[in-house]
Amino acid sequence: MASPSPKSPEQSEKNKQYDRQLRLWGDHGQSALESGHICLINATALGTEILKSIVLPGIGAITIVDDCTVSDEDIGSNFFLEMSSKGLNRGSEALRLVLELNPAVQGHAVQEPPDQILDENPDFFKSFSLVIATTISEKVTQSLSQHLWDINVPFILCQSVGFLGSFRIQIREHAVTETHPDNEQTDLRLDEPFMSLLEHLESIDIDALDLKDHGHIPWIIILYKAVQKWKINNNNKWPVTRNDKEDIKNIIRDFIRKDENGIPINEENFEEAIRAVNTALMPTFLPKNISKLMYNSAATNLTKDSSSFWIMCSALRAFVEAEGKGKLPVKGILPDMTASTEHYVKLQNIYKMQAANDAEIVYRKVRQIVTQLHCDSISEADVKLFCRHAHDLYLVKGSCVATELQLGNSVASYIATYLEEPDVMMVHYIMLRAAGMFRSEHCRAPGDWEPEGDIAKLKTCVNKLLGDISCSPFPKDDHIHEMCRYGGAEIHSVSAFLGGCVAHEAIKIITKQYKPVNNTFIYDGASTNTATFEF
Amino acid sequence: MTSESQTADYQNRRWQHIRKLLERSGPFCHPDFEASAEILNFIMNCCKVLIVGAGGLGCELLKDLALMGFKKLHIVDMDTIELSNLNRQFLFRRNDIGLPKAKCAVEFVNKRVPGCEAVAHHCAIQDLDEDFYRQFHIVVCGLDSIIARRWLNGMLVSLLQYNDDRSLDQSSVIPMVDGGTEGFKGNARVILPGMSACIECTLDLYPPQKTFPLCTIANTPRLPEHCIEYVKVIQWAKENPWGSSTTLDGDDPQHVVWVYEKAQERAMKHGIANVTYRLTQGVLKNIIPAVASTNAAIAAACATEVFKLASSCCVNMNNYMVLNMADGVYTYTFSAEKRPDCVACCNSTRVMKIDPDATLQYIYTKLCEDQAYLMKSPGITTVINGCNKTLYMSSIKSIEERTKDNLKKKLTDLGLFNGADILVADVTTPNTITIKLKFETLDVDMTK
């Protein structure tokens, strides 16, 4: 692969190829992706559409488990099968054509049905970062999901029939440091400025500044000064009410310099300060969900096998209880604002330095814990990243699909609540499960050959399901008719939509960036509506 | 193709899945739907679909439609393949770099999906005329530019026919399905020109591009982006080693390196950190991050709508869906409203109310800034005593020089009057727009 000379800042071929995605998950995200190994069970159109959007960005390796033979119907809806694939093993053919998308990806095909592998060689699944399955029977779903839960390998179960599709993510525990929130909160510490910030803020006398400088100090300083002035006449409390904030705005307005005719000059930085009053005066606090993470038993009772996420949570707690004085490490970022370069950079560096200092303290604590536990070391870069995003950490604990299939009390009442609404998306969930039941009983899809004839049989499945969760039958048979109409058909564009979504979730799980769906997603291509349920 | 592939039996098996939707009725079908084998025949052998763009969305659209039975597909794209396309434009390989996208895409799909007869057009959409666009039943877009969307929208609107009683002749409506993506977000919409909200009706859904004020760039840089912009906007023209008339090309690595190094110097001088090569290129080319998955999902949503339009097997999306995959997967579908006074799709005389003392500059500014027009660089002409008169046109240098003084003149001094028509041309529309001036004394100062 061509590489530019060491002195040239030009990108390597790989960086050029992946440029557009590196801007979303960074080089470290890309590394994580390239270390990932995904197993797909059944190279249906849905399966290969999922793989396409995982292979293109450069997953490390894929393994396809599929013992089916390619039929004419398969070729009709699956882009990664050719005319000449007919009669050959579907997994091998799909693998060959999918790997063409990115020569850097490794691939393997296993021509065995998944239940055979579960029986004879269940450890097979331990080598994967993620297992994705399409069109597996209820029985195999039961045993496969339980096994993957037990060995702690994340699992995504997907289906696509007619205009309907769904996927269900099963993962025991998933921690995300970089959630990339759309609107990240600032962390200004104006209510409790750390030493270097306090010194800097106090060192500036707004009234003494010349006109040019006056119009170029950051609004943060202006806001601080206004609040200090207000506090003197208000028992030193922190402004909270609307009136308080209105007072602050008036103080800032008074700060604005006037020309020889007494007319206020246009000073944009002061206008910014006025606009910031409503949002930037939130007192610094420790978010509840972060507190829960820090005091979670996984963080307080560490063992040698604890994940680096929990070790860092523990170190974070130690920081918050001591040097942090009840607060998280400073974020260290400053939004852009009207200011001179000098003022802005100076202020920015003060926040940056404090963030670096806080992160270093946390890192020292991490090292202590790692030494005590004799576990794998955690890099300083990882700790810095963790501290930078400490306010937005995210952890989700999942549930096992096998449990959901059993329709225990909590699952039953969860479903019943939505059916009562009436939420048509939950109706789709019932229809998909009923179709699965039908398949198990009759070894074919409802409406496969005769849509009309199967309506009554499918209705029996639906009513059994509804009975199991103590719900009354649906008032109309429309959705049952529609499912029989589909006759188990797989429509390429519906599978392509789901394929894009599932591939996306797989990338989130492997890069550990961005929040994944938690945990069931349903798509109806007919109405274009979607819904997320948490089972 | 072997003789086997041509047997009806084989075709039936191959399209088994799709046929279930087309040959069977159901409770949620479109009211016009009549299940029959004819529909698949129509889709395969008669229905002509135009795919606009052969990039991230276009490749997906071509594949999706080919696998849904469409054979008479045309695809237009003026670009050639680049390395950075390969992370998502999956019909292209490394060996194809430099080749035209449309041609490569068509070759790949026609080979992989036997029977598909996709045709490539390696040109700009503006190079094709009315007669070209008129042949299609449905147009589906995967464009990366709002201006191009508006142009295409204008073209389809111009093909509309109205009956004597001013009602729309619905057979002249060519539906347009439009998709767009940016990072982990995207949208898909269905437009029935003349009947539902068009691109112009909903221009406010496209937020304006963020730019940095010149005084920040020149005097008070704070972010690494400011340093890069400075080199791009000020330093390049003065200092670049390739000559003062050389345009900065974000695709030329040498240009990018030069800007990067100068930006770094400026940043270092001011104590600003984080000027990187990646950021530099991003600012110069206005790069939008892109991944395969978002494109796959949006294109698929569009393809599903095209299929519904061609077959009536289900009601269409009504009519605008947004998708956000950054936090879980979230979609929201709403019905965008057609504007009764839309400058593109309304079928009545366009009127502009204007003070009798206004200058031409006022009209020009209004055409650029008013939400109803949002033009880029309109060329304004009129007809006086049967002769065409150019009032102002900025796109051709000699004409710009000749007419720029007109901007300061009052409309009445230029021969315009109450009820006069001006003819406006712009990149955002394929045809000239006629606007009738209505003189009214308004409160706003229009003599600027």
Side-chain angles (χ1 to χ4, degrees), chain A residues 37-53:
Chain A
H37 187 170
I38 294 185
C39 174
L40 171 74
I41 299 176
N42 288 328
T44 55
L46 175 55
T48 55
E49 286 300 308
I50 295 169
L51 285 184
K52 175 190 78 206
S53 297

Side-chain angles (χ1 to χ4, degrees), chain A residues 322-524:
Chain A
E323 297 91 339
K325 302 196 186 99
K327 303 200 181 10
L328 292 171
V330 167
K331 277 192 190 184
I333 47 155
L334 215 56
D336 192 21
M337 58 193 67
T338 301
S340 70
T341 308
E342 204 191 316
H343 275 295
Y344 181 82
V345 170
K346 192 149 184 203
L347 191 59
Q348 188 183 50
N349 284 337
I350 287 172
Y351 281 99
K352 268 194 202 171
M353 283 295 317
Q354 186 66 26
N357 288 342
D358 286 353
E360 212 200 303
I361 297 172
V362 175
Y363 178 56
R364 266 187 260 131
K365 294 184 196 296
V366 167
R367 291 238 312 263
Q368 268 180 337
I369 297 173
V370 161
T371 313
Q372 274 166 12
L373 291 175
H374 301 291
C375 58
D376 288 338
S377 66
I378 299 170
S379 75
E380 189 171 6
D382 284 347
V383 176
K384 277 194 162 140
L385 195 67
F386 187 84
C387 290
R388 164 74 182 80
H389 298 288
H391 291 77
D392 296 307
L393 302 172
Y394 176 77
L395 182 98
V396 62
K397 276 182 144 45
S399 69
C400 182
V401 170
T403 314
E404 180 192 331
L405 285 179
Q406 277 143 31
L407 291 175
N409 279 340
S410 56
V411 172
S413 54
Y414 181 77
I415 298 174
T417 317
Y418 280 97
L419 286 179
E420 251 168 75
E421 286 209 353
D423 188 333
V424 72
M425 299 310 288
M426 189 53 92
V427 171
H428 291 315
Y429 170 81
I430 295 288
M431 288 317 308
L432 288 167
R433 276 192 70 160
M437 270 175 77
F438 186 105
R439 268 186 197 268
S440 297
E441 246 176 272
H442 305 278
C443 297
R444 59 187 176 76
D448 205 351
W449 292 111
E450 270 199 21
E452 300 295 318
D454 281 345
I455 290 176
K457 295 194 187 89
L458 182 59
K459 190 165 179 176
T460 310
C461 295
V462 171
N463 286 341
K464 177 161 188 315
L465 262 175
L466 292 174
D468 284 346
I469 56 175
S470 311
C471 281
S472 36
F474 295 142
K476 293 202 290 188
D477 289 344
D478 285 350
H479 294 282
I480 299 173
H481 274 251
E482 186 73 354
M483 183 58 82
C484 287
R485 174 193 179 203
Y486 295 158
E490 182 173 14
I491 305 302
H492 183 82
S493 62
V494 174
S495 291
F497 180 86
L498 280 162
C501 293
V502 174
H504 203 82
E505 296 302 304
I507 292 172
K508 288 181 191 173
I509 290 171
I510 295 191
T511 59
K512 294 190 164 57
Q513 295 185 36
Y514 300 90
K515 290 184 191 169
V517 164
N518 182 26
N519 50 40
T520 303
F521 179 83
I522 308 228
Y523 168 64
D524 174 24

Side-chain angles (χ1 to χ4, degrees), chain A residues 21 23 27 49 52 72 79 336-337 339 341 447 484-485 487 490 492-493 504 508 515 525-526 528 530, chain B residues 10 13 17 20-21 24 60 63 68 87 112 114 221-222 226 260 278 290 293 297 304 308 325 328 331 333:
Chain A
Q21 69 202 39
R23 288 165 194 277
D27 298 307
E49 286 300 308
K52 175 190 78 206
D72 289 321
F79 191 72
D336 192 21
M337 58 193 67
T341 308
C484 287
R485 174 193 179 203
E490 182 173 14
H492 183 82
S493 62
H504 203 82
K508 288 181 191 173
K515 290 184 191 169
T528 75
T530 64
Chain B
Y10 162 75
R13 282 196 308 276
H17 296 282
K20 283 180 177 156
L21 285 184
R24 299 168 174 200
E60 292 282 345
K63 157 187 72 80
M68 304 282 281
N87 81 326
R112 181 62 60 85
R222 294 175 297 269
H226 298 159
Y260 166 63
R278 187 176 291 160
S293 42
T304 302
K308 291 177 187 176
M325 296 162 83
T331 70
T333 303

